[in-house]
Amino acid sequence: MEISGYRIWKKARNRNGGVVENGNWNSLWEIVTPARVKHLLWNAGFNRILGTTNCGWCLRDDHGDFVVAGTAWDGGTFSILEAEALALKEAIQGVITLHISHVIFESDSQLLVHGLKSNSCGNSEFNVIIDSIKLLLLDFPNFKVKFVKRPANLVAHTLSKAANS
């Protein structure tokens, strides 16, 4: 990742209320996992002027320290739920490429997390994306997806906005 991406993450982390005090990470983000587990937050956004859908994700280690981040954009706009699902798929594929095997993916989209845990099916674009994510998750049993409140996801929100630049 470029150094400028690190600066964006650092700025968002500080604005998020997350600060390092005496070597300890202080934020709304919860650290409760063994050392080999990484936490990944992701988010989606839109640029209505350019007509793009953007995503950003940030991977932290078990101490809350930055590991890597990514951004992407795609032409066209989707519903917010579809965009969040596409952002998760992008994040999963990024982590797979990095050969990281234990990840908790955290999102502020409760509907998306519920959709991944649901057994319902359908023909909508959202369901097609959800099904492709479920297939990815089947191949990686140490990947988990969970809901977090929005204040814990501001870093990924800022990265999704940075995808415009």
Side-chain angles (χ1 to χ4, degrees), residues 8 24 34-35 45 57 59 63 66-67 79 90 94-95 97 111 123 137 149 152 154 158 162 164:
I8 291 168
N24 295 320
W57 53 271
L59 187 67
H63 298 291
F66 174 83
V67 175
S79 74
E90 180 78 26
V95 169
T97 301
L111 287 173
N123 304 9
L137 293 174
K149 294 188 178 188
L154 290 179
T158 301
N164 290 326

Side-chain angles (χ1 to χ4, degrees), residues 54-162:
N54 314 309
C55 72
W57 53 271
C58 176
L59 187 67
R60 296 176 174 171
D61 66 15
D62 61 313
H63 298 291
D65 294 328
F66 174 83
V67 175
V68 68
T71 61
W73 62 271
D74 196 357
T77 54
F78 301 87
S79 74
I80 189 63
L81 201 52
E82 292 167 346
E84 290 282 347
L86 288 169
L88 172 59
K89 187 175 177 184
E90 180 78 26
I92 291 171
Q93 290 169 330
V95 169
I96 290 169
T97 301
L98 295 170
H99 305 287
I100 298 172
S101 60
H102 291 74
V103 181
I104 297 172
F105 295 86
E106 299 173 323
S107 172
D108 61 12
S109 175
Q110 200 165 23
L111 287 173
L112 174 59
V113 173
H114 176 72
L116 287 167
K117 295 179 185 210
S118 171
N119 289 328
S120 65
C121 55
N123 304 9
S124 71
E125 186 70 26
F126 175 70
N127 283 336
V128 170
I129 300 166
I130 288 295
D131 288 345
S132 67
I133 292 169
K134 286 179 178 180
L135 285 175
L136 281 173
L137 293 174
L138 281 176
D139 289 337
F140 296 90
N142 294 315
F143 286 1
K144 307 291 181 220
V145 180
K146 75 175 215 177
F147 171 74
V148 294
K149 294 188 178 188
R150 180 137 195 139
N153 202 21
L154 290 179
V155 172
H157 180 73
T158 301
L159 286 168
S160 71
K161 287 184 176 183

Side-chain angles (χ1 to χ4, degrees), residues 3-17:
I3 193 72
S4 62
Y6 177 77
R7 286 187 189 126
I8 291 168
W9 171 81
K10 189 84 166 164
K11 181 179 176 183
R13 178 176 165 175
N14 289 338
R15 193 173 47 189
N16 187 19

